[in-house]
Amino acid sequence: MKPLAYFHDTAAEGPEHFSQRFYVFLFILIRFFWKTLFRFKSYGADQLRLSSLQGAIIAGNHNSYLDPTFIMLAMRPRPVRFIAKEEFFKVKAIARMASWAGVFPIKRGTADMKAIKRAVAMLKRGELVGIFPEGTRGRNRKKAGHNEQRVAFGGTALIAHLARVPVVPVHLWNTERISPPKSRLWHFPRITLSVGEPLSLTDERYANLSKDERFAAFTADIMTAIYAFENPRDDATRKPDEESCGKK
């Protein structure tokens, strides 16, 4: 059996990628249940032209452990390599299944250069890497006394800079209602996801800023983009992505 590091350091798509059988199985399973239970629909992924997007960070808001699965559905057929906290890998069975799905660990609260280098290598190979810039779920931010939203860390900007790739903002609606505080049962609200236009650190507006100022401004712009979406379900003229409707 291959060590977990093999899956963390090998491409999930392109030449010589590791087997995607587990990812495909997971996708089919999640797609069936999530579309039934959450009536999930995504908007904007079709316009993004994922097939031609070579290396990008997918950055979104984070309110539920299930957030990566909805992003995974929206970005299909491209696999997304998510960064997850190291504690998630302490249970061997979970660690192996997560690694099969392309997830890799990061040590939170430190400058984990090993995780950063892995993310950069993936992006330079042309892969998609999923990051939640706020670093933790909304419920945890409230417990920690932070602002409920827009509390972001500079790691996303650093990785984008090192890999020279754009950041694609996404926003999820209603995932905070899946497992609300003081509830032991899951709820099944209608989940919607919107995908925005890519943001680039090479844009002229950042050119005359110092490195620290550039990273801070770019991080702020990422968070503004993530929270600037209006729920597309409120706009009857907008059509959901074909993939989210199961037509592909």
Side-chain angles (χ1 to χ4, degrees), residues 4-246:
L4 299 186
Y6 166 80
F7 300 97
H8 303 160
D9 295 322
T10 304
E13 59 179 330
E16 299 182 2
H17 63 81
F18 65 82
S19 172
Q20 289 295 291
R21 280 179 288 187
F22 180 77
Y23 191 95
V24 171
F25 167 76
L26 187 63
F27 169 78
I28 293 171
L29 192 67
I30 289 174
R31 179 179 176 179
F32 174 78
F33 284 105
W34 274 203
K35 289 182 185 301
T36 302
L37 297 173
F38 296 109
R39 289 88 72 201
F40 174 70
K41 282 185 172 57
S42 66
Y43 296 76
D46 285 352
Q47 289 81 356
L48 187 61
R49 297 177 182 172
L50 285 169
S51 60
S52 62
L53 192 63
Q54 293 299 309
I57 295 171
I58 311 299
N61 59 316
H62 193 24
N63 289 306
S64 168
Y65 283 125
L66 299 183
D67 291 339
T69 63
F70 295 110
I71 294 176
M72 182 181 91
L73 290 182
M75 298 297 156
R76 188 69 186 161
R78 296 285 301 279
V80 182
R81 309 290 302 266
F82 284 97
I83 300 177
K85 59 183 180 181
E86 188 180 48
E87 294 85 347
F88 188 70
F89 288 78
K90 287 185 176 180
V91 179
K92 289 184 178 180
I94 294 176
R96 184 152 295 277
M97 287 189 289
S99 300
W100 285 344
V103 182
F104 62 104
I106 188 170
K107 295 177 182 177
R108 294 198 302 180
T110 66
D112 188 348
M113 291 309 299
K114 187 174 183 178
I116 290 172
K117 287 178 179 178
R118 275 177 170 156
V120 170
M122 292 170 186
L123 291 163
K124 285 185 173 181
R125 288 194 298 256
E127 298 186 79
L128 303 180
V129 173
I131 298 177
F132 298 105
E134 292 155 300
T136 186
R137 292 176 299 140
R139 184 188 305 179
N140 292 340
R141 290 195 298 278
K142 290 177 184 177
K143 286 181 179 179
H146 296 306
N147 193 331
E148 182 182 352
Q149 298 174 343
R150 303 173 190 268
V151 180
F153 304 95
T156 307
L158 173 62
I159 294 170
H161 167 72
L162 293 173
R164 299 183 181 277
V165 297
V167 175
V168 177
V170 304
H171 189 93
L172 283 151
W173 277 272
N174 293 334
T175 58
E176 74 281 357
R177 295 170 55 192
I178 294 173
S179 180
K182 299 181 181 180
S183 175
R184 296 183 179 181
L185 300 175
W186 271 18
H187 297 242
F188 299 100
R190 191 183 296 268
I191 304 298
T192 307
L193 180 147
S194 273
V195 181
E197 292 294 324
L199 307 174
S200 178
L201 195 51
T202 60
D203 284 353
E204 272 190 40
R205 63 189 307 269
Y206 307 112
N208 296 322
L209 301 177
S210 69
K211 186 176 180 180
D212 289 344
E213 290 173 334
R214 193 162 66 248
F215 283 10
F218 189 58
T219 299
D221 287 347
I222 291 170
M223 298 310 298
T224 297
I226 288 173
Y227 284 102
F229 290 103
E230 293 184 4
N231 195 329
R233 288 189 182 276
D234 297 334
D235 184 352
T237 65
R238 290 201 64 182
K239 301 295 183 184
D241 297 326
E242 289 187 358
E243 174 62 25
S244 71
C245 294

